[in-house]
Every structure is written in C-alpha cells, then in structure tokens.
Amino acid sequence: MSGILLATVAIGTAAALLAWRERPEPGAVPLVVMLTGQCIWSALLVFDLEASTLGGKVFWANLRWIGVVAIPVGWLLFSLEYTGRDRYVQPRYVALISIVPVLTVIFALTDSSLLYTDSRLVYEGDMLLLSRTPGPWFWVIAAYTYLLGLLGAVPLLELIRNDSLPFRGQSAALLVSIVAPWASNLLFLVGAIPIPGLDPTPVAFSISGVACLGALTRFQLFGTSPSPNPRARRLLFERMPDGAIVVDGHDYVVDINETGAAILGTVPSAVLGSPLRETVLDDSLVSSDGSVSVQHPFRSRDDERLYDVTATRITDVHDRTIGHVITFHDISEHVRQQQRHEVLNRVFRHNIRTETNVISSYAELLADGANQDVADEITASARRIESLATKAREIIDVFEQGRESIEPVSLEVLLCDVSTAIRTEYPNARIERESNLDGIYVANVLEPVFANLVENGIEHNTGSDPFVRIEVEADDDRVRIRIVDNGPGIDAYERSSVERGTETPLDHGSGLGLWLAKWGVEIAGGSVTFGTNEPTGSVVTIEVPLLCPSGESSDESNGVAP
C-alpha cells in the first residue's frame, strides 16, 4: 500500500513541477496548489499507515487536512483562471472561499470534536488502521469540497463542446483528474469500501496525476489556452466602433458598450436595468408597447450624426427569442458621400453636356479657312470632354446599381443587346460571340462593362477590318468571359494604374473606361485581367460568379448552375 502511495506522490510531484515551470500562465499556480494538496494527502497517509499508536495516527490524520482542503480551493481557482474568468480570482474572493477550509484546518489541528467525535484503532488483517466517527463539521467540509469541485467542473464542461481539439482534450483530461478521486471518496463516505478506516482517495490521485501529466504534455495545457476567449469577447463588445445595446425578452437594457452610451448621450451605469423606451427616446426604434422596432435611421440628439440601426434576435436552444442586440452603425459619412455623388451626377448628366454643346457651337462660328484647324481641335476636345463625362455618368450609375441591388440577367441576352447596340453605331465592325449560353446568368451591373470594352475594341481600332470576339467558358460556379480584339492593344501605362488599384500625379490613365470595367466587375463579385493578343490587340478576361435566376450565386445552390 505504501509503495502505491509513494508512486502517487512521485506522479503528482512531476505534474506539479511541470505546472510550476509554466507560471505565470493563467491557472498554473492554482494547479500547483491542487497537485501539492494531493501529494500532501498521499504522503501523510503513508506516515499514518506506518504509525503504531493512536496518538501518532491521529496526528498524521489531522495534519493531512492541510492537503485535503487545498485540493478543492486550487481546483476552483485553476478552473476560473484557465477558462478566462480570472476576475473572480481576486484576493477578496480567494479569502471568502478559504474561510471554511481554514476553519477546518484549525479544527483538525486542535483535534476538535466538531470534526471528529471519536477516534480508535482497528485491525484489518495485519493492518492497524485509524477509524474515526465524523462530527457535524466533517459533513460541512465534505459538502463544501464537492460544491467547489462542481463549480470548477462547470466551465470545463463547456470546453468539451469546443471546436478546438486541444481544448476538448485538455478539459477531458482535467475532468478525469478530479472525477477519479471524487468517485473513490464518495464510495468511502457511503461505506461502499470493504475496509473501514482506509480512504482510497489518495490511491485515485495516481489517476489524477497521470491525467494532469497528459493535459500538460499531450494536449499542451498551458501552450494552447482558452483563457483569452471570454475577455476577448468582452473587449470586442466594449471597444467595437459600433454602438451596441443588449436587451432582454422584456426589453430592459442588460448591457451597453461605451460607444452605444455615447451615442445616446449617457453612461452605462445610468441605463442598465432601465426599459429600452426610457433609454432610447425615439419612436423609430421603440414601438408604442416599448418593444424593439427598427424602422428608420437614428439621429443622435447630441452630435446630430446619423446611424443605421440593426436589431438581431438572441435565441435559446428552443429558438425562442430571449432578447435582442441593437447595433448603431455610423452612416453620416456615407450619407454625405451619397449627397456628393448625387450632385456630381447632376453635373455630369446636365451641366457638362450643356457646356460642351456651347463650346462646339462657338467653335463652328469660328470656323473659316484660317481658323478651321483650331475650330476642329476645339470641337474634338469638347467631344473628348463629353465622352469622359459619359463614362463618369456610367460609373456613377454602376455604383448606384450596385448599392441598390444586384439582379441576375441572362448572359446571352446581355451580350446580344450589347452587340446589337454597337453594330448600330459601327456597322463595318465584326463582332463574334458564342450563341449557346442558355442557363448562364450573371449580374446585371456587367452590361455597361461589356458595352464599354467591346466599344473600345472597335473605336480605337484603326485597321481595315476591326473585329471583337467574345469567348465564354463556364464551370460549376464561375464564368469567364474573354473579349479579344485586333486593335492596337492597351498601353502599359493605362493598365498599370488599374491593376495597381490607384493613380498618382505622375502615373495615371487618360480616361475612365478601364476603371469602369474594374469597378463594375468587382461590384459583381469578380475580377478582371488585361493581356495581349497575337499578333496585335488585347485580351480582357472577366471572371464572375454564376447566379441563379433568383439572384444568389450558384455555389450557394449546391454548386449547380441553373
């Protein structure tokens, strides 16, 4: 028996030393306390078994309580620190949970009858054992020990369902380390052990020590720790740029972050526990019965900023609504940008066209033999300005269309319409395209993109036989459209700024056509690349998601194109 106990002490000491090396990792020190308590219990039981007098056995048995009470306290503090609930591991809380254990040690060292009412020696075979009658405090500390053990197990049980394999392994090993001695001690307390006076709990500590060693080595107990998770979630809530309010099922405010309080012109402590209607004095957010009702943007009373409001349901395991998270996203700058776009749109649609017409009209008045070249240059410049304004209008339209909604359109119909319109304007050009495109749907925002690229391939072609060929290749969820021409190609400086995504004063394109292609394709969820055609010309490749007629991408419909 003594040999098994000494082996248990050795295993527990090894695990305690490994844990001590990991300090100050969260949970390392409390785990050392728990393992040290187990070692003390086991070691002092060896001295108890070797003692031959009643006084000697009582002395070692009473001293053993130091290790006994250290185990549940260390276990609970370890569980709290390890799982990120270290706000409860503060001196005042540690002192509070240590009151009962400290009193137990005092009663034990003074041999108080509150702990044991009677002690006597009994023989079991050739073994001399100490048999004691529990006093009232014994059952108090027994119940308290199991309570702390249960409280410490709850956070670890949550990790059993974690997606991380190391966390599941760690928590399982730790639970084994506490359940094994629990079970053996419980069997002893209910009299299920055939040898009275011999508590097998220290023997079960060998299982506990091996489980802790496995958690420390195999599952990297302090190398991969879940302790940041609860605090990280709290930090995300408190420091997120959007305001957030959490209300319960009765629409009382149960949490609010600093940003949300600032938006409402208050402080968190002033609104927690208050009805939502008293916190948000706005009928667009709170209906007449005081419940959440997001209808319109919210304007702050303090700074007049405008916020988009979203209410997300919080549900339980039965899908019942138990509250809402209300978030406030600042859209003031977005609204200002939209207003600026509307002004620019008006300017591009009306004012610039009007002014270029005026310039062209005056240029015609100046035209005569001597000034014809000047008048022609003025007219050409006015046309370039109007073309640039047209491209800008198309880009604004693409942005607006992308902001409002993306609708699916048949690629065959889209390319047919584009080809027909450009043939009307350039009757001598050849436009070739694939015809069997049934069932291929793409975003409607791509129409001006295709029109602009095909038109550029014809317009800038100075050859005698300008042509554009449109090739289509589709797979399960993507479609690639290549627009090939035999023109002069796209200059490298034109492509570089678009491929880089930005322009500089010294490196920029001469127009907006390629930007229209890039931005339109990106809004459609795709990408565009520019290459060269042999012996001359360009190849523009557009790759975008396939859409179903209902609007979602085909990879959301089991990867099958409609």
Side-chain angles (χ1 to χ4, degrees):
M1 182 66 175
S2 297
I4 297 175
L5 292 174
L6 290 176
T8 299
V9 172
I11 295 172
T13 301
L17 289 174
L18 287 176
W20 181 253
R21 290 173 52 188
E22 299 296 335
R23 67 191 194 285
E25 290 293 330
V29 173
L31 183 60
V32 171
V33 171
M34 185 188 81
L35 292 170
T36 302
Q38 293 180 354
C39 292
I40 291 174
W41 190 345
S42 299
L44 294 183
L45 181 57
V46 174
F47 290 105
D48 180 356
L49 294 174
E50 296 299 323
S52 59
T53 64
L54 176 62
K57 288 185 177 293
V58 168
F59 172 78
W60 294 117
N62 288 341
L63 196 61
R64 200 159 63 229
W65 276 101
I66 297 175
V68 174
V69 299
I71 296 171
V73 173
W75 166 255
L76 177 61
L77 296 180
F78 161 76
S79 177
L80 293 174
E81 274 196 9
Y82 172 72
T83 57
R85 295 166 173 84
D86 54 335
R87 63 184 181 275
Y88 300 114
V89 186
Q90 300 182 34
R92 62 179 182 272
Y93 296 128
V94 175
L96 183 63
I97 66 173
S98 299
I99 292 175
V100 173
V102 168
L103 288 175
T104 302
V105 172
I106 293 174
F107 294 152
L109 296 181
T110 59
D111 202 16
S112 171
S113 60
L114 290 173
L115 193 57
Y116 293 106
T117 60
D118 179 55
S119 301
R120 64 186 184 279
L121 294 176
V122 295
Y123 279 96
E124 291 292 336
D126 58 350
M127 295 178 62
L128 182 62
L129 302 175
L130 178 64
S131 177
R132 314 188 79 178
T133 303
W137 189 260
F138 177 89
W139 301 112
V140 172
I141 185 60
Y144 188 74
T145 298
Y146 279 92
L147 175 62
L148 295 188
L150 181 61
L151 292 177
V154 170
L156 293 173
L157 286 172
E158 296 178 0
L159 290 177
I160 291 291
R161 299 176 298 172
N162 196 283
D163 292 334
S164 170
L165 179 60
F167 292 166
R168 295 202 302 268
Q170 292 167 9
S171 57
L174 291 168
L175 288 171
V176 168
S177 74
I178 199 66
V179 168
W182 267 3
S184 61
N185 184 253
L186 186 61
L187 291 174
F188 173 73
L189 292 179
V190 299
I193 301 299
I195 306 176
L198 183 60
D199 185 353
T201 303
V203 177
F205 287 154
S206 60
I207 301 175
S208 179
V210 170
C212 285
L213 283 173
L216 286 164
T217 56
R218 171 66 177 84
F219 296 108
Q220 302 178 349
L221 181 62
F222 295 116
T224 306
S225 172
S227 57
N229 289 350
R231 181 160 292 182
R233 292 189 179 96
R234 187 66 199 175
L235 284 174
L236 285 174
F237 179 78
E238 291 176 348
R239 300 185 182 181
M240 62 188 292
D242 292 345
I245 302 175
V246 182
V247 297
D248 63 12
H250 303 286
D251 296 307
Y252 280 80
V253 178
V254 296
D255 205 353
I256 184 171
N257 64 0
E258 293 289 346
T259 306
I263 291 171
L264 300 179
T266 184
V267 294
S269 58
V271 299
L272 292 176
S274 302
L276 180 63
R277 189 169 186 80
E278 295 180 6
T279 303
V280 184
L281 303 177
D282 191 314
D283 292 338
S284 65
L285 299 183
V286 185
S287 61
S288 58
D289 60 358
S291 61
V292 179
S293 176
V294 178
Q295 300 174 0
H296 306 289
F298 172 78
R299 187 175 297 276
S300 173
R301 299 191 299 272
D302 288 354
D303 54 15
E304 292 297 312
R305 298 185 72 83
L306 198 62
Y307 296 89
D308 183 40
V309 184
T310 303
T312 304
R313 288 194 316 139
I314 305 173
T315 58
D316 60 11
V317 294
H318 303 291
D319 199 32
R320 295 175 299 194
T321 300
I322 59 175
H324 288 84
V325 177
I326 305 172
T327 55
F328 297 79
H329 179 65
D330 191 346
I331 59 172
S332 303
E333 184 61 28
H334 172 75
V335 172
R336 285 193 291 269
Q337 291 283 9
Q338 185 176 347
Q339 293 170 344
R340 294 165 189 161
H341 287 162
E342 290 174 354
V343 173
L344 289 174
N345 191 20
R346 177 184 56 80
V347 170
F348 280 128
R349 286 188 182 279
H350 305 290
N351 298 42
I352 291 182
R353 174 177 292 182
T354 300
E355 295 301 321
T356 53
N357 288 337
V358 171
I359 293 172
S360 298
S361 299
Y362 277 100
E364 292 177 1
L365 294 177
L366 292 174
D368 55 32
N371 297 321
Q372 186 62 49
D373 291 343
V374 175
D376 291 343
E377 184 60 32
I378 293 174
T379 300
S381 181
R383 288 174 180 169
R384 286 194 294 270
I385 293 173
E386 184 174 358
S387 176
L388 190 64
T390 300
K391 289 291 191 296
R393 290 198 305 270
E394 290 176 351
I395 289 175
I396 292 175
D397 289 341
V398 167
F399 287 165
E400 288 296 317
Q401 193 173 12
R403 184 176 63 86
E404 293 172 358
S405 64
I406 298 294
E407 300 292 338
V409 63
S410 168
L411 180 61
E412 183 173 14
V413 173
L414 189 153
L415 294 178
C416 179
D417 292 344
V418 167
S419 301
T420 301
I422 293 178
R423 284 194 185 99
T424 301
E425 187 173 356
Y426 301 95
N428 296 327
R430 289 190 297 119
I431 301 176
E432 302 174 359
R433 63 178 180 84
E434 297 184 19
S435 57
N436 186 19
L437 302 177
D438 290 340
I440 298 179
Y441 288 80
V442 295
N444 57 343
V445 75
L446 292 173
E447 182 171 3
V449 172
F450 292 142
N452 180 72
L453 292 174
V454 174
E455 183 179 21
N456 284 348
I458 300 297
E459 180 181 8
H460 300 291
N461 193 328
T462 58
S464 58
D465 183 29
F467 84 92
V468 170
R469 184 174 69 254
I470 304 174
E471 303 171 353
V472 178
E473 178 185 344
D475 53 28
D476 288 342
D477 57 2
R478 310 284 288 184
V479 59
R480 284 163 292 280
I481 303 99
R482 283 182 289 272
I483 299 176
V484 184
D485 65 62
N486 64 342
I490 303 173
D491 292 331
Y493 76 90
E494 293 277 3
R495 296 188 318 196
S496 63
S497 59
V498 176
E499 291 172 344
R500 190 174 59 250
T502 184
E503 291 188 344
T504 68
L506 298 178
D507 187 6
H508 57 83
S510 60
L512 295 174
L514 297 185
W515 286 110
L516 170 60
K518 175 180 174 62
W519 291 334
V521 171
E522 288 178 346
I523 291 173
S527 60
V528 58
T529 56
F530 304 95
T532 57
N533 186 29
E534 296 297 338
T536 181
S538 62
V539 179
V540 181
T541 303
I542 294 171
E543 183 173 342
V544 292
L546 284 171
L547 298 183
C548 297
S550 57
E552 72 271 12
S553 60
S554 62
D555 57 353
E556 296 173 348
S557 300
N558 300 321
V560 180

